Amino acid sequence: SMARPLLTATAILGSLSLIPLATQAMAAVDTDTYREFDQFLDVFNRIKADYVDKVDDQKLIKGAIQGMLQSLDPHSSYVDALDYDGMSPEMLCQKDYDEKVDIYSFGILLWELWAQKEPYEGRFTSLRELAEGVVLQGIRPNINDAGKVLQELFTKCWGTYPRNRTSFKLIIEEQWIERCVSEQFLNNDSLAEKFWNENCAEYTFDNEDGGIKFDMFWSKLLAFIGLDEREISDFKTIAARALFTEGTRMKDKVIIETFAKVLKFFGPLRSERREFGLEFVEGIEDVVSGAWFFGDLDTTATEGKLKGKSPGTFLVRYSSTAGCFTISRKAEDRNVKQYRVNVKVGEGGKEFVCPVTGKNFKKLSGLIGTCAKNMGLKMVCPDGPYVNLFSSGSAYQIRTTYDGVDF
């Protein structure tokens, strides 16, 4: 629908004259008006001095101008150059326009959400400068740090001529927003991004909380990495469900944030050889089935878990370094000792590096069992969040003490 006609540049600049700034203009104002200005300044200073939050001078002045205009006509408003940041070239030139102006403005709004700042960062100080920059020079907000998909969407929204811009219909049909989201979360794993876009993108904003049902997700993922669902044990599925549905477990859904988080520590996805797919699934099972695994804990929470525990009590958590794990142990001096386990990804698959001996292991459980004595690990911290996933009568006898014997 056509928007209400904009104030012209002349009207905008003219509205500034409502505030007498020059001595000559002030001399022409009668005594009653002086009193009104005095009252305005009094209120202005009281607000600045006594308002609960710090107030910006420009915001107060602009609000006062806005109030003056709307007291005369509720449909009038004051607009300065910054308010025009999201306006298309044809609107800045006061030409005829259609719904494509909304596409241009959408692109600017999307950029603001992505960049978390003003589009031109004070580059233009007047409406004329803005119009010349956008219309004549083709200046647009900086997108150099955006992903390739997001850059392409910005470009499609910001064409100088309306005919060169995309449409909301195409943005929806071609899942541009979903693809931008997956690029943002999965930009370090091209195969994972491909999987999500081809199999799960339509569920990114499926309902109020988004997400794809785990069973459907798991079937699609196993097929994508070359595995037959029938050969995957229930224990592997239980472990995967625990991680991929974390935060949405009551609804048993996988959202892209959680998918990205799991891949951050257990990925990347690899499909060139079947054994890499097995390595990914078995790696999740190996870690989650360990009573020592506590998942996403920061240093403060870790210290809380180990508070009052005996020296040698330990747990394993995600490291603040992507792809790595941290072993936290209660030391003899009652402080918490931290060991970061680095992970190497090579042609032969993933390997966990012991932080003390430097020896490589195919599984994290193997590293802990073999290097327990070297790191002073004696007893697993109780009440891990995943210990109840596997029944005590299953093939898993979760080990809670270590004596340094290789196994």
Side-chain angles (χ1 to χ4, degrees), residues 55 108 111 247 258 260 301 342 351 407:
V55 180
I108 296 292
W111 187 93
T258 310
N342 292 317
E351 291 183 321
F407 71 101

Side-chain angles (χ1 to χ4, degrees), residues 368-381:
I368 292 173
T370 302
C371 301
K373 189 172 183 178
N374 301 92
M375 291 184 285
L377 310 181
K378 298 178 181 179
M379 183 172 291
V380 173
C381 183

Side-chain angles (χ1 to χ4, degrees), residues 266-370:
F266 296 93
L269 285 187
R270 303 175 70 179
S271 63
E272 62 267 35
R273 299 215 305 258
R274 181 177 176 277
E275 51 264 38
F276 289 151
L278 279 174
E279 179 185 68
F280 172 71
V281 174
E282 290 174 352
I284 292 174
E285 178 191 34
D286 177 64
V287 173
V288 174
S289 63
W292 31 260
F293 182 58
F294 277 67
D296 196 4
L297 287 183
D298 60 20
T299 302
T300 301
T302 300
E303 291 173 349
K305 292 288 185 183
L306 294 173
K307 185 178 181 179
K309 302 298 188 296
S310 302
T313 303
F314 76 99
L315 59 83
V316 179
R317 59 191 176 92
Y318 292 134
S319 171
S320 57
T321 301
C324 300
F325 292 85
T326 297
I327 300 174
S328 302
R329 171 181 64 85
K330 191 64 174 285
E332 285 68 23
D333 61 3
R334 299 294 174 178
N335 291 318
V336 176
K337 175 76 173 176
Q338 312 285 359
Y339 299 94
R340 188 175 74 188
V341 178
N342 292 317
V343 179
K344 297 194 303 185
V345 180
E347 290 297 323
K350 295 180 67 172
E351 291 183 321
F352 298 87
V353 183
C354 177
V356 176
T357 67
K359 187 177 179 180
N360 297 339
F361 296 83
K362 294 297 291 182
K363 292 187 176 181
L364 186 56
S365 62
L367 181 153
I368 292 173
T370 302

Side-chain angles (χ1 to χ4, degrees), residues 178-231:
E178 290 86 347
R179 288 161 56 197
C180 287
V181 170
S182 65
E183 178 184 57
Q184 187 75 10
F185 282 103
L186 304 169
N187 61 351
N188 291 321
D189 193 333
S190 59
L191 201 61
E193 188 178 341
K194 183 175 187 293
F195 164 75
W196 188 270
N197 287 337
E198 292 179 355
N199 297 277
C200 309
E202 63 183 294
Y203 303 100
T204 302
F205 306 111
D206 187 36
N207 52 36
E208 60 188 28
D209 55 0
I212 177 174
K213 284 291 187 181
F214 173 78
D215 289 339
M216 181 185 295
F217 163 84
W218 192 230
S219 295
K220 290 176 178 287
L221 181 61
L222 292 176
F224 187 80
I225 58 179
L227 299 179
D228 187 337
E229 191 173 3
R230 293 171 296 183
E231 66 181 320

Side-chain angles (χ1 to χ4, degrees), residues 28-267:
V29 182
D30 60 30
T31 304
D32 288 338
T33 304
Y34 276 119
R35 290 198 190 96
E36 296 297 330
F37 282 132
D38 189 58
Q39 183 179 10
F40 168 77
L41 289 173
D42 182 56
V43 173
F44 178 86
N45 289 323
R46 282 174 179 267
I47 292 174
K48 286 197 65 178
D50 301 331
Y51 196 69
V52 63
D53 296 319
K54 187 177 180 180
V55 180
D56 179 73
D57 289 4
Q58 284 187 326
K59 188 174 182 180
L60 284 177
I61 295 295
K62 186 176 176 181
I65 298 173
Q66 198 78 270
M68 282 189 285
L69 287 172
Q70 292 193 358
S71 69
L72 299 172
D73 176 7
H75 301 294
S76 296
S77 63
Y78 165 74
V79 185
D80 64 18
L82 291 177
D83 292 317
Y84 277 89
D85 283 348
M87 291 186 181
S88 64
E90 63 269 30
M91 292 186 81
L92 288 170
C93 293
Q94 299 179 57
K95 302 293 185 182
D96 292 339
Y97 58 89
D98 56 22
E99 70 278 359
K100 289 300 182 77
V101 299
D102 295 327
I103 293 294
Y104 186 94
S105 297
F106 167 77
I108 296 292
L109 176 60
L110 184 64
W111 187 93
E112 289 180 302
L113 291 171
W114 167 73
Q116 293 293 295
K117 56 186 177 182
E118 294 288 338
Y120 301 105
E121 299 183 292
R123 180 171 185 172
F124 304 115
T125 58
S126 69
L127 177 60
R128 179 174 180 174
E129 286 184 11
L130 176 66
E132 288 180 350
V134 170
V135 180
L136 300 181
Q137 301 173 41
I139 295 173
R140 299 293 186 268
N142 191 320
I143 60 174
N144 291 338
D145 293 333
K148 290 182 180 180
V149 178
L150 188 55
Q151 284 190 19
E152 188 175 354
L153 179 56
F154 284 141
T155 303
K156 286 178 176 291
C157 290
W158 292 340
T160 299
Y161 299 103
R163 63 177 179 272
N164 294 335
R165 296 175 206 149
T166 186
S167 66
F168 285 121
K169 183 174 183 290
L170 286 176
I171 289 175
I172 293 171
E173 288 180 352
E174 297 174 2
Q175 297 183 328
W176 277 98
I177 301 302
E178 290 86 347
R179 288 161 56 197
C180 287
V181 170
S182 65
E183 178 184 57
Q184 187 75 10
F185 282 103
L186 304 169
N187 61 351
N188 291 321
D189 193 333
S190 59
L191 201 61
E193 188 178 341
K194 183 175 187 293
F195 164 75
W196 188 270
N197 287 337
E198 292 179 355
N199 297 277
C200 309
E202 63 183 294
Y203 303 100
T204 302
F205 306 111
D206 187 36
N207 52 36
E208 60 188 28
D209 55 0
I212 177 174
K213 284 291 187 181
F214 173 78
D215 289 339
M216 181 185 295
F217 163 84
W218 192 230
S219 295
K220 290 176 178 287
L221 181 61
L222 292 176
F224 187 80
I225 58 179
L227 299 179
D228 187 337
E229 191 173 3
R230 293 171 296 183
E231 66 181 320
I232 303 300
S233 70
D234 290 342
F235 300 115
K236 290 181 176 60
T237 300
I238 290 171
R241 187 188 299 272
L243 292 190
F244 282 117
T245 64
E246 202 145 37
T248 61
R249 199 166 296 160
M250 292 298 292
K251 296 183 178 179
D252 197 37
K253 286 186 173 182
V254 182
I255 57 177
I256 191 169
E257 294 94 328
T258 310
F259 178 55
K261 181 178 178 180
V262 173
L263 290 177
K264 181 179 177 182
F265 294 99
F266 296 93

